Each structure stands twice: as structure tokens, then as C-alpha cells.
């Protein structure tokens, strides 16, 4: 039996926002730093944070623990850093919904990104926020990964070939603390149509953003899960991540301990 919204509101502690109101406020706050970073940065932030289900989902499921050291590989213009700064502010002002798990406040964020232009945009927009996110311009295949509790890789590994993907994931495992977590979003190559749509969209976006390489390298979901298990992730959960999109995206949550 589902609980009516009226009953939920009646039982919600006074002053705390509903999840929808909290998300609307977080979205607004996370986009705000991009206003002064140019039209592209602003519109991209609003569209991506608003339409991609992964960002709200991370908060609703409690995928990121408070005060974690987070490394975001292929961070683009640093949207996750901005969202986490908005989470800090919401938590500090008592604006976190009672229905959600603990806010991932006080996170130490490091973003790693190949494209210098994205890194400049990220630093210009969110580098000066009080959460002090750090951005490193480098190739995930070779850059040093700092010791961390959570690694986030959203839609990035398919830019490098299968051997390089495995190399990155092995280095991620080595950088993670013993009970560390990997949040890896991939396309499921076994879902032929959705995977083809995401590859087509990715190629167009890649060209528009002036990238040198096109994303091409996929695996069926079962192979991604098997690879993470082989690398030592004791528990691997899969979360469908295509709601409202034509893609075949899946979030893999891999825990070492
Ligand atoms: C599809 S975007 C995803 C951006 C971000 N993770 C998000 O979900 O909003 C992929 C990002 O990965 C970056 N990237 C591609 N190859 C990379 C590499 N070898 N090392 C670091 N970043 C890379 C791209 O420049 C791009 O910013």
C-alpha cells in the first residue's frame, strides 16, 4: 500500500523540504556557479544536472558517504563538485529531506579530466567554492590517482580500448581504501539499440566539444560485472540508469570490502 503525499507531509518534520523541493533547490544552487562561465557552461550544467538521472540518484540512494575522499575521473566541467558544494550548503542550512539517507557533506573532491578547456571551465566556475574542489588535467590511463574512499567514473571508460579500461580499473582498485567504492556508469553493449543511440549521441557531443578521440569501446553488462569481480570488488550491484532516456546506461556499484 502506498502512502499518500498528504500523509507523508503530515509526518515530515516541520521545516524540512520534500525530496522534490530539495532537488529543485540543489539543482538551482549547483547550476549557479556556471552562470558566469559562459553560455555553453551554463546551459550544459542546467540540462545535464536536470535531465541525467544519475545525479539525483546518487543522493537518493546514499551512494556517497559523508566526508569521503572522492575522485571523479573524466569530470568534465566539474558538475559533481558543484552538486556536492550545494549539498554542503543544504546540510548546513537544515534543508536536507528526512526521506533521504545522510547528506554526503564535507566531501574532499578531486576531479581528473583530459581536456584542458573543461578543466579551465571547472576551475573558473567552482574552483573557488568553500568546499575547495581540486581539478587535475591529465589522462586517466597514466595520471596518479590519489588515495580515496570513492571513485566516480560516469560515461568515460568507453573512450579507451578494453586493455586500457582494465588498466584504469586496476589502478582505481589500488587507490581505493580497503572498504572503498567504485561508482561506474557504462553502456550495456548487449542492449544493441540503446548502446548504438548513446554512441551516436556521444560522437556528436565529442565533436562539438572539440575532443580528439571518439568513444567506441563497450562491453556487455555481464562482462563489466565479471571484470570488477576479477579485480577484487567483493560486491557488485547494478542500477539501471536510463530512466527517461533512449540509452542503455547502467550504474555499477562496486565495493571492495
Ligand atoms: C561523456 S563526458 C562525461 C562527463 C562527466 N563524467 C559527467 O557525467 O557529466 C566524458 C568525459 O571524459 C573525459 N575523458 C575522455 N577520455 C579521458 C581520459 N583518457 N582521461 C581523462 N578524462 C577523459 C572527456 O574529456 C569528457 O569530459
Amino acid at each position: 500500500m502506498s502512502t499518500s503525499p498528504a500523509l507523508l507531509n503530515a509526518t515530515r518534520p516541520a521545516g524540512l523540504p520534500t525530496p522534490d523541493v530539495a532537488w529543485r533547490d540543489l539543482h538551482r544552487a549547483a547550476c549557479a556557479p556556471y552562470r558566469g562561465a559562459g553560455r555553453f557552461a551554463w546551459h550544459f550544467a542546467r540540462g545535464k544536472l536536470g535531465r541525467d538521472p544519475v545525479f539525483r540518484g546518487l543522493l537518493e540512494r546514499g551512494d556517497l558517504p559523508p566526508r569521503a575522499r572522492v575522485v571523479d575521473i573524466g569530470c568534465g566541467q566539474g558538475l559533481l563538485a558543484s552538486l556536492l558544494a550545494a549539498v554542503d550548503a543544504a546540510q548546513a542550512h537544515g534543508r536536507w529531506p528526512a526521506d533521504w539517507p545522510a547528506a554526503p557533506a564535507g566531501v574532499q573532491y578531486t576531479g581528473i579530466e583530459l581536456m584542458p578547456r573543461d578543466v579551465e571551465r571547472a576551475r573558473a566556475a567552482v574552483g573557488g567554492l568553500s568546499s575547495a574542489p581540486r581539478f587535475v588535467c591529465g589522462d586517466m590511463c597514466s595520471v596518479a590517482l590519489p588515495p580515496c574512499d570513492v571513485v566516480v567514473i560516469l560515461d568515460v571508460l568507453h573512450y579507451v580500448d578494453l586493455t586500457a579500461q582494465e588498466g584504469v580499473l586496476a589502478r582505481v582498485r589500488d587507490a581505493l581504501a580497503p572498504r572503498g567504492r567504485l561508482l561506474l556508469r557504462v553502456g550495456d553493449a548487449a542492449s544493441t539499440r540503446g548502446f548504438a543511440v548513446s554512441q551516436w549521441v556521444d560522437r556528436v557531443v565529442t565533436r562539438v566539444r572539440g575532443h580528439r578521440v571518439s568513444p567506441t569501446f563497450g562491453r556487455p553488462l555481464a562482462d563489466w560485472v565479471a571484470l570488477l569481480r576479477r579485480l577484487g570488488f567483493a560486491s557488485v550491484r547494478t542500477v539501471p540508469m536510463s530512466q527517461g532516456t533512449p540509452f542503455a546506461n547502467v550504474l555499477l556499484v562496486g565495493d571492495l570490502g
Side-chain angles (χ1 to χ4, degrees), residues 70-149:
V70 172
V71 174
D72 182 11
I73 296 182
C75 65
Q77 63 178 26
L79 295 180
L80 181 59
S82 194
L83 180 60
L84 290 169
V87 166
D88 281 350
Q91 165 81 354
H93 291 98
R95 301 287 298 157
W96 194 254
D99 323 49
W100 283 359
V107 160
Q108 281 176 48
Y109 174 97
T110 302
I112 293 174
E113 168 56 49
L114 182 66
M115 299 295 287
R117 241 188 303 169
D118 285 279
V119 175
E120 277 164 31
R121 257 201 304 269
R123 285 186 181 139
V126 297
L129 296 179
S130 58
S131 54
R134 200 168 73 92
F135 293 96
V136 176
C137 188
D139 186 335
M140 64 181 166
C141 298
S142 53
V143 74
L145 301 176
C148 50
D149 305 298

Side-chain angles (χ1 to χ4, degrees), residues 48 55 74-76 79 112-115 138-140 154-156 159-160 202 209 211:
K48 189 85 201 289
F55 296 104
C75 65
L79 295 180
I112 293 174
E113 168 56 49
L114 182 66
M115 299 295 287
D139 186 335
M140 64 181 166
L154 302 177
D155 314 333
V156 186
Y159 283 81
V160 298
D202 247 353
R209 295 172 76 200
H211 281 226

Side-chain angles (χ1 to χ4, degrees), residues 188-208:
D188 177 4
S191 171
T192 325
R193 193 158 182 279
F195 189 69
V197 174
S198 29
Q199 287 221 308
W200 182 80
V201 171
D202 247 353
R203 286 216 176 90
V204 173
V205 174
T206 302
R207 293 241 171 87
V208 169

Side-chain angles (χ1 to χ4, degrees), residues 47-63:
K48 189 85 201 289
L49 283 168
R51 283 192 211 103
D52 188 333
V54 77
F55 296 104
R56 178 170 171 168
L58 293 178
L59 307 180
E60 283 177 334
R61 287 185 305 275
D63 288 340

